[in-house]
Amino acid sequence: MRWLILPDIHDKIRRANQIIEREPHDHLLLLGDFFDDFRTGVTDAADTARQVKRWLNAPNTTCLLGNHDMSYGWGRQNRRLICPGYDAAKWITVHGSVSSRDWQRFKLHAWLDGGERPWLVTHAGLHATCLQGAEPGKHLEFIDKVCADAWDCLNRGEHHFLLGRGLSRSGDQKIGGINWMDWDELVPIPGLNQLVGHTPAQSVRNKSLPTSENICLDTNLRHYAVFEDGRLQVKSYDDLMGAATAK
């Protein structure tokens, strides 16, 4: 199976669809933060919401939950989830398209089969301290369970450390959870690869150990990734569009 993976979109719907239309794939995986480019407003939020609804209900598409999405989906239940860029007028617009049932289609994480070392895909990354208490060799099962617990808390309007904001983002826990942790806080976990977005920069970044590869893909949608046959390939939007023009 060929996976197409796009990081933080932040209202750049046209650019995202250009990649999706031009890059062959079997499954689309979106890393969250669909909303809130700080230069856009209510009209853009409406366009994004309509597209997100289509993605959430499309076959062979997985939408991960980012902190900006969580802000609109659950921020009124738990004010600690609201992040910069949130706007009450945009909330009304977003909820005019994205229903309660649609919000439940978001995921907190996804897995890519990397053979001996699976790829954990989340919006911002999982810190090693979150695995305290996990049995050796059972990280996958532990992560699945803690994500399920966090999702239940989210829907009840309760706090869960996995979705909490860290000090680097003006939060009240030392390290942010999987929707909040900054890239410079990620510590490679032996035996586990991670692919994340959330922390924008001009270039794709990586942290590697002999038994752990970690990549931050967020470059304001200048890059994306393709995963096929256990191999992750980072690709350039400019190269893709140049190739399309040449044809």
Side-chain angles (χ1 to χ4, degrees), residues 16-41:
N17 280 324
Q18 286 176 327
I19 298 171
I20 293 166
E21 290 164 4
R22 289 167 172 79
E23 187 67 64
H25 61 281
D26 301 304
H27 195 105
L28 177 63
L29 175 56
L30 305 167
L31 301 191
D33 271 9
F34 297 93
F35 301 101
D36 289 342
D37 185 317
F38 293 101
R39 296 167 294 183
T40 57

Short mmCIF file of all heavy atoms in Angstrom, two decimals, residues 16-41:
data_model
loop_
_atom_site.label_atom_id
_atom_site.label_comp_id
_atom_site.label_asym_id
_atom_site.label_seq_id
_atom_site.Cartn_x
_atom_site.Cartn_y
_atom_site.Cartn_z
N ALA A 16 -2.88 21.67 -0.48
CA ALA A 16 -3.05 20.28 -0.08
C ALA A 16 -3.69 19.47 -1.20
O ALA A 16 -3.23 18.36 -1.52
CB ALA A 16 -3.91 20.20 1.18
N ASN A 17 -4.71 20.00 -1.82
CA ASN A 17 -5.39 19.26 -2.89
C ASN A 17 -4.53 19.13 -4.14
O ASN A 17 -4.64 18.14 -4.87
CB ASN A 17 -6.72 19.93 -3.23
CG ASN A 17 -7.82 19.55 -2.24
OD1 ASN A 17 -7.86 18.42 -1.76
ND2 ASN A 17 -8.69 20.50 -1.92
N GLN A 18 -3.66 20.09 -4.37
CA GLN A 18 -2.72 19.95 -5.50
C GLN A 18 -1.81 18.74 -5.29
O GLN A 18 -1.56 17.97 -6.22
CB GLN A 18 -1.86 21.22 -5.64
CG GLN A 18 -2.61 22.40 -6.22
CD GLN A 18 -1.76 23.66 -6.25
OE1 GLN A 18 -0.92 23.89 -5.36
NE2 GLN A 18 -1.95 24.49 -7.27
N ILE A 19 -1.32 18.57 -4.06
CA ILE A 19 -0.48 17.41 -3.77
C ILE A 19 -1.28 16.12 -3.90
O ILE A 19 -0.83 15.15 -4.52
CB ILE A 19 0.12 17.53 -2.35
CG1 ILE A 19 1.01 18.78 -2.24
CG2 ILE A 19 0.93 16.27 -2.01
CD1 ILE A 19 1.47 19.09 -0.83
N ILE A 20 -2.46 16.11 -3.31
CA ILE A 20 -3.29 14.91 -3.32
C ILE A 20 -3.65 14.48 -4.74
O ILE A 20 -3.64 13.29 -5.08
CB ILE A 20 -4.56 15.15 -2.48
CG1 ILE A 20 -4.19 15.31 -1.00
CG2 ILE A 20 -5.56 14.01 -2.65
CD1 ILE A 20 -5.30 15.89 -0.14
N GLU A 21 -3.94 15.45 -5.60
CA GLU A 21 -4.33 15.13 -6.97
C GLU A 21 -3.16 14.65 -7.82
O GLU A 21 -3.35 13.86 -8.75
CB GLU A 21 -4.94 16.38 -7.62
CG GLU A 21 -6.30 16.76 -7.04
CD GLU A 21 -6.72 18.18 -7.40
OE1 GLU A 21 -5.97 18.85 -8.16
OE2 GLU A 21 -7.78 18.62 -6.91
N ARG A 22 -1.94 15.09 -7.49
CA ARG A 22 -0.79 14.79 -8.35
C ARG A 22 0.07 13.63 -7.87
O ARG A 22 0.80 13.04 -8.67
CB ARG A 22 0.07 16.05 -8.51
CG ARG A 22 -0.57 17.12 -9.37
CD ARG A 22 0.17 18.45 -9.24
NE ARG A 22 -0.32 19.44 -10.20
CZ ARG A 22 -1.44 20.14 -10.06
NH1 ARG A 22 -2.21 19.94 -8.99
NH2 ARG A 22 -1.81 21.02 -10.98
N GLU A 23 0.01 13.33 -6.58
CA GLU A 23 0.87 12.27 -6.03
C GLU A 23 0.05 10.98 -5.90
O GLU A 23 -0.87 10.90 -5.09
CB GLU A 23 1.40 12.68 -4.66
CG GLU A 23 2.42 11.72 -4.08
CD GLU A 23 3.72 11.69 -4.86
OE1 GLU A 23 4.40 12.72 -4.91
OE2 GLU A 23 4.02 10.60 -5.42
N PRO A 24 0.36 9.94 -6.66
CA PRO A 24 -0.41 8.69 -6.59
C PRO A 24 -0.35 8.10 -5.18
O PRO A 24 0.69 8.13 -4.52
CB PRO A 24 0.30 7.79 -7.60
CG PRO A 24 1.03 8.72 -8.52
CD PRO A 24 1.44 9.88 -7.68
N HIS A 25 -1.49 7.55 -4.74
CA HIS A 25 -1.52 6.95 -3.40
C HIS A 25 -2.75 6.05 -3.28
O HIS A 25 -3.71 6.18 -4.04
CB HIS A 25 -1.56 8.03 -2.32
CG HIS A 25 -2.75 8.94 -2.40
ND1 HIS A 25 -2.83 9.99 -3.30
CD2 HIS A 25 -3.93 8.96 -1.71
CE1 HIS A 25 -3.98 10.62 -3.15
NE2 HIS A 25 -4.68 10.00 -2.19
N ASP A 26 -2.68 5.16 -2.30
CA ASP A 26 -3.81 4.29 -1.97
C ASP A 26 -4.53 4.78 -0.71
O ASP A 26 -5.73 4.56 -0.56
CB ASP A 26 -3.33 2.86 -1.73
CG ASP A 26 -2.61 2.28 -2.94
OD1 ASP A 26 -3.20 2.27 -4.02
OD2 ASP A 26 -1.43 1.87 -2.79
N HIS A 27 -3.77 5.39 0.20
CA HIS A 27 -4.35 5.86 1.46
C HIS A 27 -3.78 7.24 1.78
O HIS A 27 -2.58 7.47 1.65
CB HIS A 27 -4.05 4.88 2.60
CG HIS A 27 -4.90 5.12 3.82
ND1 HIS A 27 -5.96 4.30 4.16
CD2 HIS A 27 -4.85 6.08 4.77
CE1 HIS A 27 -6.53 4.75 5.27
NE2 HIS A 27 -5.86 5.83 5.66
N LEU A 28 -4.65 8.13 2.21
CA LEU A 28 -4.25 9.49 2.57
C LEU A 28 -4.23 9.61 4.09
O LEU A 28 -5.21 9.27 4.77
CB LEU A 28 -5.25 10.49 1.97
CG LEU A 28 -5.05 11.96 2.30
CD1 LEU A 28 -3.71 12.48 1.78
CD2 LEU A 28 -6.21 12.79 1.72
N LEU A 29 -3.11 10.11 4.63
CA LEU A 29 -2.95 10.31 6.07
C LEU A 29 -2.59 11.77 6.32
O LEU A 29 -1.57 12.26 5.84
CB LEU A 29 -1.85 9.39 6.62
CG LEU A 29 -1.45 9.52 8.09
CD1 LEU A 29 -2.66 9.36 9.01
CD2 LEU A 29 -0.36 8.52 8.44
N LEU A 30 -3.46 12.47 7.06
CA LEU A 30 -3.29 13.90 7.33
C LEU A 30 -2.97 14.10 8.80
O LEU A 30 -3.66 13.57 9.67
CB LEU A 30 -4.57 14.64 6.95
CG LEU A 30 -5.04 14.40 5.50
CD1 LEU A 30 -6.46 14.91 5.29
CD2 LEU A 30 -4.09 15.06 4.52
N LEU A 31 -1.90 14.87 9.09
CA LEU A 31 -1.34 14.93 10.44
C LEU A 31 -1.98 15.96 11.35
O LEU A 31 -1.48 16.21 12.44
CB LEU A 31 0.17 15.20 10.36
CG LEU A 31 1.01 14.18 9.60
CD1 LEU A 31 2.50 14.43 9.84
CD2 LEU A 31 0.65 12.75 9.97
N GLY A 32 -3.10 16.55 10.93
CA GLY A 32 -3.80 17.46 11.83
C GLY A 32 -3.42 18.92 11.65
O GLY A 32 -2.60 19.28 10.81
N ASP A 33 -4.04 19.78 12.46
CA ASP A 33 -3.96 21.23 12.34
C ASP A 33 -4.45 21.68 10.96
O ASP A 33 -3.71 22.27 10.18
CB ASP A 33 -2.55 21.74 12.63
CG ASP A 33 -2.33 22.05 14.11
OD1 ASP A 33 -3.21 21.69 14.93
OD2 ASP A 33 -1.29 22.62 14.45
N PHE A 34 -5.72 21.43 10.73
CA PHE A 34 -6.36 21.86 9.49
C PHE A 34 -6.70 23.34 9.53
O PHE A 34 -6.70 24.02 8.51
CB PHE A 34 -7.63 21.05 9.26
CG PHE A 34 -7.38 19.58 9.09
CD1 PHE A 34 -7.43 18.71 10.18
CD2 PHE A 34 -7.07 19.05 7.85
CE1 PHE A 34 -7.19 17.36 10.02
CE2 PHE A 34 -6.83 17.70 7.68
CZ PHE A 34 -6.89 16.85 8.77
N PHE A 35 -6.97 23.86 10.73
CA PHE A 35 -7.47 25.22 10.89
C PHE A 35 -6.39 26.20 11.35
O PHE A 35 -5.31 25.81 11.76
CB PHE A 35 -8.63 25.22 11.90
CG PHE A 35 -9.77 24.33 11.49
CD1 PHE A 35 -9.92 23.08 12.06
CD2 PHE A 35 -10.68 24.74 10.53
CE1 PHE A 35 -10.98 22.25 11.70
CE2 PHE A 35 -11.73 23.92 10.15
CZ PHE A 35 -11.88 22.67 10.73
N ASP A 36 -6.73 27.51 11.25
CA ASP A 36 -5.97 28.59 11.89
C ASP A 36 -4.62 28.91 11.26
O ASP A 36 -3.57 28.72 11.86
CB ASP A 36 -5.74 28.31 13.37
CG ASP A 36 -6.99 28.44 14.21
OD1 ASP A 36 -7.95 29.05 13.73
OD2 ASP A 36 -6.99 27.92 15.33
N ASP A 37 -4.65 29.41 10.03
CA ASP A 37 -3.52 30.20 9.55
C ASP A 37 -3.79 31.61 10.07
O ASP A 37 -4.88 32.15 9.91
CB ASP A 37 -3.46 30.18 8.02
CG ASP A 37 -2.24 30.89 7.47
OD1 ASP A 37 -1.91 31.98 7.99
OD2 ASP A 37 -1.62 30.39 6.52
N PHE A 38 -2.81 32.22 10.70
CA PHE A 38 -3.05 33.50 11.36
C PHE A 38 -3.32 34.64 10.39
O PHE A 38 -3.71 35.73 10.79
CB PHE A 38 -1.87 33.84 12.28
CG PHE A 38 -1.75 32.90 13.45
CD1 PHE A 38 -0.82 31.87 13.44
CD2 PHE A 38 -2.60 33.01 14.53
CE1 PHE A 38 -0.74 30.99 14.51
CE2 PHE A 38 -2.53 32.14 15.60
CZ PHE A 38 -1.58 31.13 15.59
N ARG A 39 -3.16 34.39 9.10
CA ARG A 39 -3.45 35.42 8.09
C ARG A 39 -4.81 35.20 7.43
O ARG A 39 -5.15 35.89 6.48
CB ARG A 39 -2.36 35.41 7.01
CG ARG A 39 -0.98 35.80 7.54
CD ARG A 39 0.10 35.49 6.53
NE ARG A 39 0.23 34.05 6.33
CZ ARG A 39 1.13 33.48 5.54
NH1 ARG A 39 1.98 34.24 4.87
NH2 ARG A 39 1.18 32.17 5.43
N THR A 40 -5.57 34.22 7.91
CA THR A 40 -6.85 33.91 7.31
C THR A 40 -7.97 34.13 8.32
O THR A 40 -7.72 34.37 9.50
CB THR A 40 -6.89 32.45 6.82
OG1 THR A 40 -6.62 31.57 7.93
CG2 THR A 40 -5.86 32.21 5.73
N GLY A 41 -9.22 34.10 7.82
CA GLY A 41 -10.34 34.42 8.70
C GLY A 41 -11.51 33.47 8.55
O GLY A 41 -11.34 32.29 8.22
#
